[in-house]
Amino acid sequence: MGKKKPHRPRRSFTPESKTEIVGLCRRGDRSVGQVARDFELTETAVRDWVKQAEVVAVERNGLTSSEREKLAVLRRENRRLREDVDVLKRATAFFAKETR
């Protein structure tokens, strides 16, 4: 088995720093990969930031971060309500059988 790289602590970036990195990518004088290497980031993270910036700027179809959060909340609520309906259906069937 090969040796694994030690995990470095997860870094957080301010919206301003993300905007700056996205701007460097959009300028076009450096590739996304080069910008990622310059800032010691993964290329995937930088590409995700660029994609999200395009969504926010309405250049691409997709959901903004706040819309994605709201959708997740609504999906959880929908799942819970479906489970409630399922329990009520089973209870109704049970009591209908008992009254016969």
Side-chain angles (χ1 to χ4, degrees), residues 1-17:
M1 284 173 100
K3 292 184 180 181
K4 290 186 178 181
K5 288 185 190 178
H7 291 281
R8 66 177 164 191
R10 187 176 183 98
R11 298 182 291 172
S12 61
F13 296 89
T14 63
E16 293 80 18
S17 62

Side-chain angles (χ1 to χ4, degrees), residues 30-54:
R30 291 191 275 178
S31 69
V32 171
Q34 183 60 49
V35 172
R37 282 188 295 278
D38 291 348
F39 287 90
E40 296 181 6
L41 298 166
T42 64
E43 198 169 325
T44 303
V46 175
R47 286 190 193 283
D48 287 346
W49 295 349
V50 170
K51 187 166 96 176
Q52 187 63 34
E54 291 170 352

